[in-house]
Amino acid sequence: MAGPGRIPGRYNLVIEGAYDTFDHRMPIEEFINRLQNDDVPKEVSVIGLEEALSDSELRTDLKSAMDRRANDLEYQNPTVQFVVEGSFHRQGKTYDLRYDDQLHSLQDVFGPQLERKEDGNWLLTPF
């Protein structure tokens, strides 16, 4: 059975240090490139989401690439972690990431289906 923060076929958003992460780490820009080239590893930890959420162009590129490849990822069933610094905060029915004393909407990238798991240091959402 998959451990916490490591559910295959979903995006796992985990706070740095809260759960085991994969040795294979890549920055957001490389993840976008891998999505576009249909070359996402079977297990990967993506880093740098905090910065991407504050950069409107990078955030848009990430969301677009993820949207375009959602069906492919569902078929391939990789385990993708977004390892972030900060903390998750619920805003009504959505979640934000508090980083660098600012709240950044996670719905802008991952949509409204984010689900909090365990102690709140892990969010899960479909591809």
Side-chain angles (χ1 to χ4, degrees):
M1 172 148 182
R6 293 178 171 222
I7 303 296
R10 302 287 179 108
Y11 289 122
N12 295 262
L13 286 74
V14 297
I15 301 296
E16 177 76 55
Y19 300 101
D20 289 336
T21 57
F22 299 118
D23 291 334
H24 188 177
R25 289 184 163 220
M26 69 176 62
I28 289 285
E29 296 84 358
E30 182 180 348
F31 181 66
I32 292 169
N33 188 42
R34 294 278 194 113
L35 279 169
Q36 292 168 339
N37 293 316
D38 195 23
D39 185 29
V40 174
K42 192 71 176 157
E43 296 180 338
V44 66
S45 293
V46 181
I47 57 173
L49 180 64
E50 310 87 352
E51 289 81 19
L53 293 173
S54 353
D55 178 331
S56 64
E57 185 176 331
L58 187 55
R59 185 178 61 237
T60 299
D61 289 348
L62 176 60
K63 180 168 179 37
S64 296
M66 288 168 50
D67 286 347
R68 279 193 303 276
R69 292 295 180 194
N71 289 339
D72 297 329
L73 290 177
E74 286 176 9
Y75 174 74
Q76 295 163 1
N77 206 38
T79 305
V80 180
Q81 294 175 323
F82 283 86
V83 181
V84 299
E85 294 181 24
S87 59
F88 298 126
H89 290 270
R90 187 172 185 148
Q91 292 273 30
K93 294 183 179 183
T94 66
Y95 289 94
D96 294 336
L97 175 68
R98 179 179 293 282
Y99 175 72
D100 208 17
D101 291 329
Q102 293 186 13
L103 289 176
H104 302 278
S105 173
L106 293 169
Q107 185 171 338
D108 291 349
V109 173
F110 297 99
Q113 297 180 11
L114 286 164
E115 176 185 343
R116 182 175 252 168
K117 293 295 198 183
E118 295 194 355
D119 61 5
N121 290 328
W122 170 28
L123 299 176
L124 195 63
T125 190
F127 290 136

